[in-house]
Amino acid sequence: MGESKCTGKRWEDMETDVLVKIFKELNLVELSPVSQVCRLWRVACSDPLIWGTLDFGLLKSNFIQTRASPYIWVDDRSDKRLSKILRVAMAISRGNVNCMIFHYNLYMKDEHLNYISQRSPHLKRLVMPAWNRISKGEICLAIQRWEELESLTMPTIGHPPYIMEELAKRCKNFKELKVMGSFDLLFASAVTTYLPKLKVLSLRCSKVTKGALLCVLNSMEHLEVLNISHCLLFEIATNGRRQVIHELDDSILERASQLREFHHCQSRECLACQRMMLDEGILRWYRYEDWFWRRDEVSSLDLKDYGRLFGAQCEMLTSVD
């Protein structure tokens, strides 16, 4: 019998789009050696279809809370581990990341933020709920580099005007903002002053003053979607005491009726609202389900399931000795 010949294509001769479909099933740890096989495979591993969203939602710092600023101490091994993971991700993605998601207990520092902002020039969405160890100058520098940024999820900060002003100057297509924490009149004034054309605002599970809410509703003509679901909404009574609002009055509902979407829930029967009351308006996310912080009634802000690139298996394989 004569020798049979294989008529199929060799791996190195396969079309890039076929390789991309295969490599999309791999995680970050698996992609790293694959990207080093040959030039064609490296190109396929860097395809935007793989790196559209880089979800580090399972990655947390090993930390303890402190009484002095920044109120967090992070173990050096955690910082080294994060640096290692970011180096691998940025090297393979080659600037093609459009969305980055970080856990609320992932406390990166300036050098981490500087590293990713230099290597993800086309970032459109950033979910980064923890800024404790990030300086004002470094976050402003990152915003300057991310001119294409459209959506930001951020924590409460002491002086919000500077970041709102930077977003207004640098990010001309910015349209979505989510705040996790407290939202007072100072924060509301900064948003309305510098981001008057904002389309979407979510304050889900935040501590919100009635004055701040009215400021947003009265001043933002271009706002289309507002989410105050499960917020601890309150006002200061004449006697100086804080009074929680369980039902929205006509002054709020009338203005909110002009929005395309208005999500709200301040029900005593709602589990999320009960958690807000129990935690006195500053949600202790660690007490609840891992997915709870990722949810949002606004579909464009909901984080849904964890991405494949950094799943549970990948999280276990990237420890630093």
Side-chain angles (χ1 to χ4, degrees), residues 21 28 33-34 37 60 71 80 95-96 109 130 160 204 233 239 252 270 274 298 303 305:
K21 289 180 180 179
L28 181 61
V34 170
V37 171
K60 308 171 190 177
Y71 309 107
K80 290 181 179 178
N96 286 319
K109 54 185 180 179
R204 183 184 196 270
L233 186 63
N239 61 4
I252 295 174
C270 170
Q274 291 173 9
V298 180
L303 297 179
D305 295 329

Side-chain angles (χ1 to χ4, degrees), residues 69-244:
S69 179
Y71 309 107
I72 288 293
W73 176 86
V74 177
D75 179 64
D76 186 57
R77 289 176 298 177
S78 282
D79 284 336
K80 290 181 179 178
R81 179 192 187 201
L82 178 58
S83 296
K84 173 184 175 183
I85 293 170
L86 293 177
R87 283 197 302 270
V88 173
M90 295 298 101
I92 303 175
S93 62
R94 300 174 71 182
N96 286 319
V97 177
N98 292 322
C99 171
M100 269 192 273
I101 301 169
F102 297 97
H103 193 272
Y104 62 86
N105 275 343
L106 193 283
Y107 297 98
M108 70 171 65
K109 54 185 180 179
D110 281 356
E111 66 183 63
H112 298 131
L113 182 60
N114 182 59
Y115 189 83
I116 61 175
S117 66
Q118 291 185 63
R119 292 163 176 80
S120 53
H122 303 297
L123 195 72
K124 290 182 169 59
R125 183 183 184 187
L126 176 65
V127 178
M128 192 169 66
W131 291 16
N132 298 57
R133 300 200 299 160
I134 295 174
S135 67
K136 173 181 176 180
E138 196 59 50
I139 188 64
C140 287
L141 180 59
I143 295 299
Q144 291 170 20
R145 291 168 175 161
W146 287 326
E147 294 183 347
E148 298 177 30
L149 194 68
E150 299 177 0
S151 177
L152 173 64
T153 296
M154 63 176 291
T156 297
I157 56 176
H159 188 67
Y162 79 86
I163 188 66
M164 300 301 126
E165 183 177 10
E166 201 65 46
L167 287 168
K169 288 193 300 185
R170 306 293 180 178
C171 309
K172 301 306 179 183
N173 295 321
F174 191 78
K175 60 183 179 181
E176 290 186 341
L177 177 65
K178 179 173 181 176
V179 179
M180 297 174 65
S182 296
F183 191 78
D184 58 12
L185 189 56
L186 174 62
F187 212 137
S189 298
V191 173
T192 57
T193 299
Y194 294 107
L195 301 174
K197 295 184 179 181
L198 192 71
K199 300 291 186 184
V200 179
L201 176 62
S202 177
L203 307 174
R204 183 184 196 270
C205 294
S206 292
K207 190 177 182 179
V208 181
T209 65
K210 182 179 179 181
L213 178 57
L214 287 174
C215 177
V216 168
L217 289 171
N218 289 330
S219 305
M220 304 193 71
E221 298 180 0
H222 299 275
L223 192 67
E224 298 178 2
V225 180
L226 176 61
N227 186 10
I228 60 167
S229 298
H230 324 303
C231 285
L232 184 67
L233 186 63
F234 69 96
E235 60 182 339
I236 305 301
T238 53
N239 61 4
R241 298 185 64 181
R242 189 183 71 179
Q243 183 175 338
V244 177

